[in-house]
Amino acid sequence: MECAARELEEETGYRCENLEFLLSLRTTVAFCNEMVDVYLARDLLPSHQHLDEGEFIDLEPYTVEELCGLIYQGIIQDGKTVAAIMAYKNKYL
């Protein structure tokens, strides 16, 4: 959870008052033992991004419905991102 909070601030420029575990998943079961934990950040507070040199991240607000539309249009294809969005939708909406 400590790493998730640190990554949130580094990548997005926000801190949160409430970080909640959402799910764990394996990225490539057949040949890799990598595990990814996904957290939900609530009560966001503006802070500062701490990006690596050459790293650029633009933040944009979306509704869950818009994100699902982007998944079904094939725009969001990353499996971790798809799983996180769908888990959030299933648990909270």
Side-chain angles (χ1 to χ4, degrees):
M1 192 170 292
E2 186 178 315
C3 291
R6 183 181 66 243
E7 286 295 317
L8 172 69
E9 185 170 13
E10 286 178 6
E11 303 292 331
T12 68
Y14 285 90
R15 310 184 282 109
C16 72
E17 295 291 314
N18 184 357
L19 193 61
E20 175 185 334
F21 175 79
L22 188 58
L23 77 149
S24 289
L25 54 97
R26 293 189 179 274
T27 58
T28 47
V29 178
F31 60 89
C32 178
N33 63 0
E34 178 185 39
M35 293 281 299
V36 174
D37 292 331
V38 177
Y39 291 85
L40 173 63
R42 297 180 185 269
D43 306 318
L44 298 175
L45 301 168
S47 183
H48 298 285
Q49 281 182 314
H50 306 283
L51 300 175
D52 294 333
E53 187 177 324
E55 185 177 31
F56 301 97
I57 298 174
D58 294 321
L59 303 177
E60 298 288 335
Y62 292 94
T63 65
V64 173
E65 292 77 20
E66 289 172 324
L67 292 171
C68 288
L70 294 173
I71 291 168
Y72 299 133
Q73 292 171 46
I75 295 168
I76 296 176
Q77 296 181 343
D78 174 68
K80 299 177 294 294
T81 303
V82 171
I85 292 167
M86 293 305 185
Y88 174 84
K89 181 180 178 186
N90 185 57
K91 187 171 182 177
Y92 295 105
L93 301 183

